[in-house]
Amino acid sequence: MIYVILIIGLFLDQITKYITLTKLKGVDSVVIIKDWLEFTYVENTGVAFGSFSGYKYFFIFISLVAFLAILFYINKNKEKISKIEQVLYALIACGALGNCIDRIRFSFVVDFIHTRFGGLYDFPVFNFADIYICVACFLLIVISFSKKEN
């Protein structure tokens, strides 16, 4: 099941980035919901909203180590962690690998999802790999707190 999630998640991440490269590069943003959601082509040479730009090889190394370490952890602890935790760890690994592939292929990460929260806050542009990592980390934190209460 973990490898199916990795394959499907990685496919979704990479196909949306391919579409972004072929349809959005060099054009204005495509508004989906005015003041809420648009697709905008961005080349992110850093991490976490463009911070730490210029450390391509370091982030490739860290991403690959994280990917392999997470897979090792899941396989070693299959009996100790729940299925949902395994899925969440797989999503983090998938996100790390998806952005790593971009860094290797293009020397930047393709970002394209741009949210504006009704014009109140202009959130940095992101992609599916970023969603996998952020949502999975958040849910793992929630799960860890609920385990401590039991």
Side-chain angles (χ1 to χ4, degrees):
M1 172 173 79
I2 299 308
Y3 296 105
V4 171
I5 290 166
L6 283 170
I7 291 168
I8 292 171
L10 192 58
F11 175 78
L12 180 61
D13 176 63
Q14 292 296 300
I15 195 71
T16 56
K17 289 173 179 176
Y18 171 79
I19 293 167
T20 299
L21 280 165
T22 58
K23 303 293 183 189
L24 290 178
K25 185 175 182 176
V27 302
D28 290 335
S29 296
V30 176
V31 176
I32 307 301
I33 302 171
K34 187 178 184 330
D35 292 329
W36 286 94
L37 176 66
E38 59 188 45
F39 294 149
T40 304
Y41 176 80
V42 173
E43 295 178 359
N44 182 353
T45 58
V47 294
F49 315 123
S51 59
F52 302 104
S53 183
Y55 295 94
K56 170 188 166 184
Y57 295 107
F58 175 72
F59 293 124
I60 288 172
F61 175 75
I62 293 298
S63 297
L64 291 174
V65 168
F67 174 76
L68 294 171
I70 291 168
L71 291 184
F72 178 78
Y73 177 79
I74 293 169
N75 285 318
K76 185 152 178 64
N77 295 289
K78 275 190 177 187
E79 305 303 320
K80 297 176 187 174
I81 58 176
S82 69
K83 292 290 183 199
I84 189 70
E85 289 171 303
Q86 291 177 36
V87 168
L88 294 173
Y89 282 119
L91 286 172
I92 294 168
C94 182
L97 185 59
N99 284 341
C100 184
I101 289 169
D102 285 9
R103 284 189 183 92
I104 292 168
R105 289 179 65 200
F106 310 119
S107 294
F108 57 84
V109 174
V110 177
D111 288 333
F112 62 94
I113 303 168
H114 192 186
T115 56
R116 295 187 184 272
F117 297 101
L120 299 173
Y121 180 72
D122 192 11
F123 198 78
V125 183
F126 56 96
N127 60 44
F128 276 91
D130 299 332
I131 294 170
Y132 301 155
I133 294 167
C134 291
V135 170
C137 285
F138 173 77
L139 292 174
L140 282 169
I141 291 168
V142 169
I143 289 169
S144 73
F145 279 122
S146 68
K147 281 183 173 181
K148 291 191 191 292
E149 289 178 6
N150 292 335

